[in-house]
Amino acid sequence: MRLSKYFQLFGVVLFFCATGCLSSERAPAARGERSPKQSALSMIKASNGRLAPVYAPLAEQIVNDLDLSEKEGIGIDLGSGPGTLVIELCKRTRMHWIDADINPCFFPYFMEQAEKHGFGCRVSAMFADACALPFRDNYADVIVSRGSFWIWKDQKTAFSEIYRVLKPGGIAYIGRGFSRTLPVETARKIRKGGRIKYDVDKTESDLRNMMNALKITGYKIHRPKPPGSEGVNYGIWIEFHKPAGR
């Protein structure tokens, strides 16, 4: 991925990635664990390979369902990693999008891709722990996240942070899996190549319990089940709104 080349291009990213990645290389990961740099390279490879068909249909669905095509403001993709979803959202909206991730080794690649697609001035990268988001209250119009909430250390705290950062009237769309428009054969192929399985019913129950604990009432659970998808896990998503005036 020629990451060393990208370090020379982005001063702020250089600071974060150098401190995050080099410290992990000085202290080798425990046996069987990947370093932040190795994790980033693995996910970049997946986003360009097995998972590549996922992002455009998902971005299209998010933009259509949340009515974002003409909206301006700030969007955050939490746990965005290589930022592939951010790039697709930039293609379909006028918003400024932030790749917020706990692994800054993704950021040089993300910024290079944003420049390549002509979105260099419409994106940012921010080192962020989901459980302690580095954004002020009422900051973002939209917060999305695909495929990361299940590894957040404290999901209740993380969802509380997302709610805090949303502007009044803001929307969050958090989950894992696919859009309802992803072709079934494509979804089936992706699932066959993956190793992680999970109980969607239990995940839904956990999400509902979390919303109740946080007293968030304006939410919807989405479980895509397009025709012919029996036996294929399309995942689960939760959409919630922060009321205007909160």
Side-chain angles (χ1 to χ4, degrees):
M1 290 298 172
R2 299 182 296 166
L3 291 181
S4 60
K5 173 186 175 183
Y6 306 147
F7 289 153
Q8 300 171 7
L9 302 177
F10 307 101
V12 174
V13 174
L14 170 63
F15 171 77
F16 282 120
C17 201
T19 55
C21 298
L22 293 181
S23 61
S24 66
E25 290 175 357
R26 293 191 192 103
R31 184 174 298 178
E33 294 182 358
R34 292 176 175 177
S35 71
K37 184 175 180 180
Q38 289 171 329
S39 295
L41 290 172
S42 177
M43 187 59 204
I44 289 169
K45 180 179 179 180
S47 71
N48 288 320
R50 182 173 64 89
L51 296 177
V54 169
Y55 300 101
L58 179 58
E60 190 74 20
Q61 178 180 296
I62 290 172
V63 170
N64 290 338
D65 288 0
L66 304 187
D67 194 21
L68 302 182
S69 60
E70 300 299 320
K71 188 176 181 63
E72 297 181 356
I74 297 171
I76 298 172
D77 184 1
L78 185 53
S80 185
T84 313
L85 181 58
V86 168
I87 300 298
E88 294 298 331
L89 289 166
C90 281
K91 293 177 182 178
R92 295 164 173 82
T93 71
R94 301 177 179 179
M95 301 175 67
H96 185 98
W97 286 93
I98 301 172
D99 179 338
D101 202 281
I102 201 167
N103 184 353
C105 293
F106 284 112
F107 297 163
Y109 172 83
F110 164 65
M111 295 302 294
E112 192 271 346
Q113 290 299 303
E115 289 286 346
K116 176 181 176 182
H117 286 87
F119 302 130
C121 294
R122 287 185 49 210
V123 300
S124 302
M126 177 66 73
F127 178 79
D129 184 335
C131 299
L133 293 178
F135 305 103
R136 60 175 170 78
D137 295 357
N138 307 321
Y139 177 71
D141 298 273
V142 181
I143 299 178
V144 302
S145 181
R146 180 202 174 273
S148 71
F149 82 88
W150 65 280
I151 56 173
W152 295 343
K153 290 181 293 185
D154 183 339
Q155 291 184 9
K156 182 179 177 182
T157 297
F159 276 92
S160 178
E161 280 287 275
I162 291 169
Y163 193 81
R164 175 186 67 79
V165 171
L166 280 176
K167 289 180 180 178
I171 308 171
Y173 196 82
I174 313 295
R176 59 193 302 190
F178 311 135
S179 67
R180 61 180 176 270
T181 58
L182 187 73
V184 173
E185 286 309 310
T186 302
R188 196 183 308 277
K189 182 178 179 180
I190 293 170
R191 286 300 185 202
K192 285 182 179 179
R195 296 173 294 175
I196 298 173
K197 300 183 184 299
Y198 55 96
D199 186 331
V200 182
D201 291 331
K202 182 179 184 305
T203 303
E204 178 175 349
S205 177
D206 291 344
L207 288 171
R208 290 187 182 279
N209 289 338
M210 201 165 349
M211 293 294 105
N212 292 335
L214 294 171
K215 295 182 170 53
I216 298 174
T217 56
Y219 74 87
K220 301 175 185 177
I221 300 287
H222 302 281
R223 293 176 59 168
K225 295 180 181 178
S229 64
E230 294 79 8
V232 182
N233 180 4
Y234 262 68
I236 183 167
W237 302 83
I238 185 164
E239 172 190 338
F240 58 91
H241 298 239
K242 187 172 184 177
R246 288 291 295 272

